[in-house]
Amino acid sequence: MTGTQRSSEGLDARRRKLLFRSWHRGMREMDLILGSFADAEIGALTGDEIDQYEKLLEIPDTEFLPMVTGERPVPPDIDCTVLQKILASRRTMTF
């Protein structure tokens, strides 16, 4: 997998930006995890979930990756519905 498998056609500007940011994190592992999640879910996220996702994308990869892989516990202040969806999607990923 080298990049998005989803077209941004039909997405509003905010979702298009999030889709792009999900695939262009800087750390390839996070590109794959968040990009794949965004490909599958970005169109279905609610407004509140979009807010949550934007906040999660502000976390630097070096802090976020250990949480997503289970190497470090998720702090309660960032645990949210979207993070739980990301963690669930990661468990079903195959590379």
Side-chain angles (χ1 to χ4, degrees):
M1 185 181 304
T2 59
T4 187
Q5 302 296 307
R6 186 196 198 294
S7 169
S8 61
E9 186 175 329
L11 295 177
D12 60 58
R14 191 175 179 198
R15 290 171 197 270
R16 282 194 308 268
K17 181 179 177 182
L18 291 173
L19 180 63
F20 180 86
R21 288 179 62 203
S22 297
W23 279 106
H24 297 88
R25 298 282 303 172
M27 185 181 285
R28 189 65 181 147
E29 293 87 344
M30 290 302 288
D31 290 352
L32 292 170
I33 292 167
L34 295 177
S36 297
F37 170 77
D39 277 357
E41 300 291 333
I42 199 72
L45 295 177
T46 67
D48 286 342
E49 290 173 332
I50 289 292
D51 292 341
Q52 292 172 16
Y53 194 50
E54 284 177 328
K55 289 178 184 172
L56 291 173
L57 290 181
E58 295 301 320
I59 301 170
D61 287 347
T62 55
E63 294 176 27
F64 202 12
L65 182 62
M67 288 183 257
V68 173
T69 60
E71 294 173 46
R72 197 165 93 199
V74 174
D77 62 319
I78 66 162
D79 196 3
C80 60
T81 304
V82 173
L83 180 58
Q84 293 306 313
K85 288 182 178 188
I86 292 168
L87 297 176
S89 72
R90 187 202 167 284
R91 287 189 282 273
T92 62
M93 284 182 178
T94 57
F95 297 104

